[in-house]
Amino acid sequence: MLKEIEEHAVITGLFDTYPAASDRKAWEGIPESYREQLVKEGEKWLGYQFLPIYATDFMEFSRTGNRSSYESKLFQRRTVLNALVLAECVQHQGRFLDEIINGIFVICEESAWQLPAHNTYVRDTPQHILPDVSRPVVDLFAAETGAVLAMAEYLLRDALGRVSPVISKMVDRNLWERVLKPYQREHFWWMGDGVSPMNNWTAWCTQNVLAAAFTRELPQTVQKEIIKKACKSLDYFLDEYGEDGCCDEGAQYYRHAGLTLFNAVEILNQISGNAFLGLYQEKKIQNIASYIRKVHVAGEYYVNFADCSPIAGRCRAREYLFGKRTGNQALMAFAARDYKDCEDWLDLEEHNLMYRVQAAFCHKEIMELAQEILQKEAKRQEAGEKGISEEDCYFPSAGLFVARDDRFCLAVKAGDNADSHNHNDVGSFTIYKDGQPMFIDVGVESYTKKTFSPERYTIWTMQSKYHNLPTFGQVMEKDGQNYKARDVKFSLGTDCSWISMDLSGAYPPCRIQSYVRKASLEKGGQIQITDVWEGDEDAKKVVLSLMTYEKPCILQDPGRPESKNHQEMDLGNQDGTVCIRIGSLGNCCIKGAAGIETEEIPITDPRLKLAWKHNVFRTLVSFKGNTLEIKIPRD
């Protein structure tokens, strides 16, 4: 798709969509309150002493598996530099230049820009304990560091040049040696070959390489070679995307996949006189743009699976601009309203300076649209009209089903266990009630060496028994493309939406021949999950896990609120019906259970704590026979 356009495109200029600091009219056109915040944040780092990074910091990953110690130091340098650069762009008086030059120097003096976890030349092979400075690795953060330095130098080129011309020369040399030359001469797996699977790395790295390359003068032969290679990689990336636009890595990774594709195309448009503009009319590109809106639940919550967190981040300028380019007014409105609700408009933890510059120059436009939306909603409420809700959807490329009404959001993941950032979660469901998590997907803990290694599925969050799925004795779901849902059927309707599938194919061979799950949402009514299995396994060895955020209370008598809370109940001599109260969200009625017990799972990991402010819970329900029915009433 892009490669065909590239063959006829002519390079017409550099990437200068955003004005340099010397364009005072442009920078002074940013709203005053926003500019004041940028300066205030920059002032925090005046006199800052950049922390040293030692060889032993780099080696810690290979020795202990810890990623965060090294990465926190590395990322801090870049976020500090971003804050200083933006403050200087606003004031343009040289007040922040010394610290900016210090930041540029310390980053250029780093032995490597790649992360220790990515310090290898062949995909999925052991990382080298230290970087080889004679052969740089271009990974996610080497490419992003290149983009950060390139944007910083581009924005302040005149001011830096007045101090010393060697600053820009140093940046140019480092960009060439660490990013641009290896990009042309090496083949890193994320560049694609038409065979190996791609993921967010492809678009993310390509975007940043393009930003590094086209913010400066390069020989035209080099420019053409970079564009050719970039377009080829982006085509490989798009080839693996379904026509439905679903990001199989989840909403959180949409920001590193769909949105980085958007910025890569924006750069290509800028340097080619909009030769690639027609891409935005392609159905697949439009679907990629709108995906984030379709998987939004409420507030900060998104439908999540695999490594994606349920709190996938607020929309910002990039979502808005992607909507604008694709003519998607619903996405523009969604992004504008979400942006307005951000507590941190400046996006202070963002490493990529280009994103922050985009936000600064879009802030006024986005806030004006958000205000217009609020006024329209107020008028609709006065007229007694209901708000516009997102339609139910099914993404066949990943097997993701989402249904909703004014109280519930039900999501079910079919597909297979070979997604990028995969968890063994085929058939698992999540349920939100009144915008709050009722049945959950926990997400993933902080990344360590084990996360992307052969030991990945020894981590509890990756295992099916910590999703809303059955376990047969000790048999859990297995990872891999062959482990998938079978006989998937679904219906999206105005009165009821449902999906059904056989989950047995997601498990290694055992004494289960089939396990059919049907999940349905009756609009204005209840959610029902019905599981029916066949096989010669002892029924009581079939145990369903139910993951909740709020504490489950097992009720002896569902009709009596004062019923005693049990952590365990044997239903062997009863009819197999039990009710669980999920915090303050309501009841879950289960029919066909032989026993039930609950356990509390501590949330101690920093990454999980971002989504879950307290511990989570797992309820284990053993089968009485071959059928288990779960009903979640509306009230």
Side-chain angles (χ1 to χ4, degrees):
M1 190 182 296
L2 280 85
K3 191 68 176 63
E4 292 176 3
I5 301 170
E6 175 270 324
E7 291 174 356
H8 305 287
V10 177
I11 302 170
T12 60
L14 298 179
F15 176 53
D16 57 359
T17 301
Y18 301 103
S22 56
D23 186 344
R24 299 316 303 151
K25 183 178 179 180
W27 280 89
E28 289 169 4
I30 296 171
E32 183 178 0
S33 60
Y34 195 96
R35 285 185 286 125
E36 288 175 351
Q37 291 180 68
L38 289 176
V39 172
K40 186 176 180 181
E41 182 60 27
E43 289 173 338
K44 293 180 182 178
W45 307 107
L46 285 171
Y48 177 70
Q49 300 294 312
F50 286 87
L51 296 175
I53 298 178
Y54 298 107
T56 48
D57 294 326
F58 197 99
M59 291 190 285
E60 185 177 4
F61 173 76
S62 292
R63 288 174 169 175
T64 70
N66 181 285
R67 292 178 56 148
S68 59
S69 296
Y70 179 86
E71 291 177 12
S72 62
K73 291 182 179 182
L74 191 84
F75 296 154
Q76 175 79 347
R77 289 180 167 189
R78 286 136 182 83
T79 54
V80 170
L81 178 63
N82 289 348
L84 291 164
V85 168
L86 289 167
E88 181 60 32
C89 286
V90 170
Q91 286 197 336
H92 203 51
Q93 297 171 356
R95 186 180 173 206
F96 301 91
L97 278 182
D98 282 355
E99 281 76 13
I100 289 169
I101 294 168
N102 281 340
I104 291 172
F105 265 70
V106 297
I107 291 173
C108 286
E109 290 168 353
E110 291 171 359
S111 297
W113 288 349
Q114 73 267 23
L115 299 184
H118 305 157
N119 189 36
T120 183
Y121 300 96
V122 180
R123 189 177 192 174
D124 298 329
T125 58
Q127 297 82 6
H128 302 287
I129 190 169
L130 284 168
D132 181 350
V133 296
S134 69
R135 191 186 174 196
V137 172
V138 182
D139 75 328
L140 292 177
F141 296 101
E144 188 152 76
T145 296
V148 168
L149 280 181
M151 184 63 71
E153 187 275 339
Y154 157 74
L155 292 170
L156 297 172
R157 186 170 294 160
D158 290 350
L160 294 172
R162 287 193 291 271
V163 176
S164 172
V166 304
I167 301 170
S168 290
K169 288 181 181 179
M170 181 176 63
V171 171
D172 286 345
R173 179 175 177 80
N174 274 272
L175 292 179
W176 177 255
E177 293 294 336
R178 296 172 185 254
V179 178
L180 302 180
K181 185 167 74 172
Y183 178 74
Q184 293 177 84
R185 298 184 181 181
E186 296 266 10
H187 179 83
F188 298 101
W189 68 264
W190 54 263
M191 294 175 173
D193 57 12
V195 178
S196 304
M198 298 291 95
N199 61 16
N200 65 82
W201 279 54
T202 304
W204 193 355
C205 291
T206 302
Q207 163 208 262
N208 286 318
V209 169
L210 288 170
F214 289 97
T215 46
R216 55 218 58 256
E217 299 284 351
L218 292 171
Q220 193 169 62
T221 54
V222 174
Q223 290 179 326
K224 288 182 177 179
E225 183 62 31
I226 290 173
I227 292 176
K228 181 179 179 180
K229 198 162 191 176
C231 289
K232 194 173 183 179
S233 290
L234 293 175
D235 273 342
Y236 287 137
F237 174 77
L238 280 170
D239 284 346
E240 293 195 21
Y241 245 92
E243 188 68 21
D244 56 27
C246 183
C247 179
D248 69 357
E249 299 172 287
Q252 199 170 12
Y253 288 89
Y254 164 88
R255 270 83 194 215
H256 305 313
L259 292 186
T260 58
L261 170 70
F262 162 69
N263 263 338
V265 175
E266 285 293 280
I267 296 171
L268 290 170
N269 272 316
Q270 173 70 25
I271 63 179
S272 66
N274 285 326
F276 296 80
L277 202 58
L279 278 173
Y280 293 123
Q281 304 310 310
E282 297 285 341
K283 188 64 176 177
K284 181 184 286 190
I285 302 295
Q286 294 185 342
N287 286 340
I288 290 172
S290 63
Y291 166 81
I292 193 66
R293 179 174 53 87
K294 293 177 181 178
V295 294
H296 180 245
V297 177
E300 291 187 278
Y301 288 114
Y302 285 83
V303 170
N304 74 303
F305 53 90
D307 276 355
C308 182
S309 170
I311 297 182
R314 292 286 190 182
C315 289
R316 298 186 182 274
R318 292 185 296 156
E319 290 89 343
Y320 173 82
L321 291 170
F322 203 0
K324 190 174 182 179
R325 277 296 198 193
T326 54
N328 189 332
Q329 294 185 350
L331 176 57
M332 291 171 66
F334 169 69
R337 176 151 191 178
D338 207 33
Y339 178 85
K340 185 178 185 300
D341 291 338
C342 284
E343 295 180 359
D344 172 22
W345 288 332
L346 301 187
D347 204 6
L348 298 177
E349 297 301 315
E350 176 54 58
H351 309 143
N352 196 306
L353 181 55
M354 179 169 63
Y355 302 167
R356 296 195 60 191
V357 174
Q358 281 181 312
F361 283 97
C362 289
H363 177 76
K364 182 180 179 182
E365 180 181 339
I366 297 173
M367 293 298 282
E368 287 175 350
L369 178 60
Q371 187 60 37
E372 181 183 327
I373 293 166
L374 290 175
Q375 290 172 354
K376 288 181 179 178
E377 288 180 352
K379 289 181 181 179
R380 280 200 298 265
Q381 289 179 356
E382 288 176 6
E385 299 176 6
K386 289 185 178 181
I388 301 172
S389 61
E390 188 56 56
E391 294 181 355
D392 296 351
C393 55
Y394 179 71
F395 298 95
S397 66
L400 179 62
F401 167 93
V402 184
R404 61 189 99 216
D405 64 11
D406 61 332
R407 295 207 73 179
F408 284 121
C409 178
L410 165 68
V412 186
K413 175 69 167 58
D416 60 39
N417 279 329
D419 295 322
S420 179
H421 290 269
N422 177 69
H423 290 196
N424 290 336
D425 57 4
V426 167
S428 189
F429 61 84
T430 57
I431 295 173
Y432 285 77
K433 187 175 183 182
D434 298 328
Q436 298 302 309
M438 193 172 191
F439 291 91
I440 65 172
D441 184 304
V442 174
V444 69
E445 293 178 314
S446 301
Y447 287 166
T448 66
K449 189 175 184 179
K450 184 187 288 188
T451 310
F452 300 102
S453 78
E455 297 180 87
R456 178 177 178 86
Y457 296 98
T458 65
I459 301 171
W460 70 278
T461 58
M462 316 292 185
Q463 298 174 341
S464 59
K465 69 180 180 181
Y466 291 99
H467 291 78
N468 298 311
L469 289 166
T471 303
F472 308 118
Q474 299 299 316
V475 179
M476 298 183 288
E477 285 192 5
K478 183 79 170 63
D479 58 292
Q481 192 171 10
N482 294 329
Y483 298 94
K484 57 189 175 183
R486 300 169 178 163
D487 300 323
V488 179
K489 303 179 181 68
F490 70 95
S491 174
L492 306 176
T494 55
D495 297 324
C496 179
S497 289
W498 58 266
I499 185 170
S500 70
M501 69 196 81
D502 181 357
L503 305 186
S504 62
Y507 292 78
C510 60
R511 297 168 67 186
I512 301 295
Q513 278 72 60
S514 69
Y515 190 104
V516 177
R517 166 167 287 178
K518 182 176 181 180
S520 62
L521 169 59
E522 299 172 14
K523 303 304 176 70
Q526 67 181 1
I527 288 176
Q528 182 166 323
I529 313 288
T530 303
D531 289 358
V532 181
W533 65 274
E534 293 182 3
D536 57 0
E537 179 65 272
D538 178 358
K540 289 187 179 181
K541 289 186 177 180
V542 181
V543 178
L544 176 65
S545 297
L546 295 173
M547 304 295 297
T548 61
Y549 183 36
E550 301 300 334
K551 185 175 182 179
C553 174
I554 302 172
L555 306 178
Q556 283 182 303
D557 182 353
R560 296 180 60 192
E562 68 275 12
S563 295
K564 185 179 179 181
N565 176 23
H566 289 260
Q567 286 188 305
E568 184 175 353
M569 185 181 292
D570 185 352
L571 302 171
N573 297 321
Q574 302 179 34
D575 63 0
T577 300
V578 66
C579 191
I580 310 170
R581 180 170 295 127
I582 312 297
S584 61
L585 292 174
N587 292 344
C588 165
C589 300
I590 301 174
K591 183 178 180 180
I596 186 168
E597 60 181 289
T598 66
E599 63 178 1
E600 187 170 357
I601 300 175
I603 297 297
T604 58
D605 177 76
R607 183 167 179 155
L608 288 181
K609 282 185 173 182
L610 295 175
W612 313 116
K613 307 306 179 187
H614 58 69
N615 293 344
V616 300
F617 300 86
R618 183 168 69 145
T619 299
L620 298 173
V621 184
S622 58
F623 278 61
K624 190 178 185 69
N626 291 76
T627 302
L628 194 75
E629 185 178 86
I630 301 171
K631 292 182 179 179
I632 298 127
R634 178 178 176 83
D635 300 315

